[in-house]
């Protein structure tokens, strides 16, 4: 596989550069891929997240996805910087695992290994040694491959939060703790909300002359964010703010391919957002060709992701919300976030 070097501009993946083919009109659709975690009841979520029934459901997901997408749900492209290679692995019906390689030593880490067969195939193709698994959270579609990979790679360690029941966890991490894999340095950031122990991982790009890379799990997607299954709007807002503190050039590598759905929803909120319109047009083209939409940048996300625009007057006005006299700004932003989430859930349910 050839590598893409993000330092250069990609005409084929720049928002709005291609758009739709001449004469083709885009009509938004609400038909989406199946997502077992969208609007669910408390009872179903508890079964999925806390019992063996959830694991059995995950195994069924894996089997069906392997049959339907023998080569993965999307065409992805590895990204290379001097000394590091990031390989997105499309798994299940819309998940991404990521193999991150120190090309000097051949040591590698994987983030959220959903399907162990797909991850192992990538490891063998790249000829690398798996030293670490970084799990963003406990849900099976992010942690289901831990056991099989640990059996295959005896020296592999599993990292994550002790607050989540992550399978095969060997090395619990604290907020801001750093882990080295070869010359790669990952920093764990506690970002509760989706689950109580959700963490994201930031790859330090300085040694490689690259921007930081954020592996966001189910905290943040392109134009979207995860459901706060185990947290309040205030908790989720604080976690999103942690991510946004990383810098605008940070590359965002999300846990799911939800771009088209999220951008279409966002376009219903902000009708006159040109950055959003261009990104949506670009995403339509990408998904028509089954191409991945990863990564974006945090700076770009701030221009169209409604979950990151709770401070923007245009979004507040579109939602019909105004800050109360004496209301704390962050309390108001949490109220805006809650309304965006409510509307997104209603959109998904239709």
């Amino acid at each position: 596989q050839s590598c893409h070097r993000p330092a250069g501009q990609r005409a084929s993946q720049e928002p709005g550069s291609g758009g739709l083919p001449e004469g083709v009109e885009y009509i938004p659709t609400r038909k989406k891929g199946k997502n077992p975690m969208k609007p669910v009841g408390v009872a179903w979520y508890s079964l999925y997240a806390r019992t063996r029934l959830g694991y059995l459901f995950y195994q069924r997901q894996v089997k069906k996805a392997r049959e339907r997408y023998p080569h993965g749900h999307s065409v992805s492209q590895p990204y290379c910087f001097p000394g590091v290679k990031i390989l997105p692995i499309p798994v299940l019906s819309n998940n991404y695992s990521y193999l991150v390689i120190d090309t000097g030593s051949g040591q590698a880490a994987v983030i959220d290994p959903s399907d162990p067969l797909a991850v192992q195939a990538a490891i063998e193709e790249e000829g690398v040694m798996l030293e670490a698994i970084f799990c963003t959270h406990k849900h099976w579609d992010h942690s289901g491959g831990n056991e099989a990979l640990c059996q295959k790679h005896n020296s592999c360690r599993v990292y994550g939060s002790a607050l989540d029941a992550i399978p095969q966890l060997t090395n619990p991490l604290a907020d801001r703790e750093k882990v080295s894999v070869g010359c790669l340095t990952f920093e764990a950031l506690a970002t509760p909300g989706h689950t109580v122990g959700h963490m994201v991982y930031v790859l330090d790009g300085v040694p490689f002359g690259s921007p930081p890379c954020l592996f966001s799990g189910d905290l943040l997607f392109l134009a979207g964010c995860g459901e706060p299954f185990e947290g309040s709007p205030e908790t989720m807002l604080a976690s999103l703010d942690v991510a946004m503190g990383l810098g605008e050039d940070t590359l965002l590598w999300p846990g799911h391919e939800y771009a088209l759905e999220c951008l279409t929803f966002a376009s219903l909120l902000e009708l006159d957002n040109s950055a959003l319109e261009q990104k949506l047009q670009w995403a339509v083209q990408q998904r028509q060709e089954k191409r991945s939409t990863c990564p974006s940048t945090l700076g770009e996300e701030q221009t169209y992701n409604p979950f990151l625009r709770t401070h923007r007057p245009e979004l507040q006005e579109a939602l019909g919300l105004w800050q109360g006299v004496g209301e704390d700004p962050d309390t108001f932003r949490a109220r805006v976030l809650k309304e965006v989430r409510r509307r997104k859930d209603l959109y998904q349910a239709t």
Side-chain angles (χ1 to χ4, degrees), residues 291-335:
R291 293 187 177 277
S292 170
T293 58
C294 307
S296 64
T297 68
L298 293 185
E300 192 180 3
E301 288 297 311
Q302 290 182 74
T303 67
Y304 53 67
N305 188 329
F307 295 95
L308 301 179
R309 293 172 58 78
T310 54
H311 62 293
R312 298 294 300 185
E314 53 267 44
L315 178 61
Q316 297 164 4
E317 183 177 348
L319 297 172
L321 296 177
W322 288 269
Q323 185 173 354
V325 177
E327 184 177 16
D328 178 79
D330 284 343
T331 300
F332 176 53
R333 289 177 59 217
R335 193 153 58 87

Side-chain angles (χ1 to χ4, degrees), residues 23-98:
V24 175
E25 179 185 6
Y26 170 59
I27 301 175
T29 176
R30 296 192 178 190
K31 183 179 180 181
K32 310 166 190 69
K34 291 182 180 178
N35 172 9
M37 302 308 295
K38 75 181 182 182
V40 296
V42 174
W44 164 239
Y45 176 73
S46 295
L47 288 172
Y48 179 84
R50 300 184 177 93
T51 73
R52 181 163 176 77
L53 287 176
Y55 180 68
L56 294 175
F57 182 83
Y58 152 76
Q59 287 185 312
R60 181 171 175 267
Q61 278 186 287
V62 172
K63 182 177 183 294
K64 292 180 67 176
R66 287 173 181 169
E67 293 171 352
R68 184 177 181 184
Y69 307 110
H71 304 294
H73 58 74
S74 300
V75 178
S76 60
Q77 191 173 20
Y79 272 52
C80 292
F81 305 96
V84 63
K85 181 177 183 178
I86 299 173
L87 180 64
I89 307 171
V91 289
L92 303 185
S93 61
N94 52 42
N95 282 70
Y96 285 109
S97 300
Y98 295 97

Side-chain angles (χ1 to χ4, degrees), residues 179-201:
V179 178
S180 294
V181 178
C183 292
L184 310 173
T185 300
F186 295 87
E187 183 178 13
L189 301 177
T191 52
H194 185 67
T195 66
V196 69
H198 194 286
M199 282 187 149
V200 299
Y201 299 98

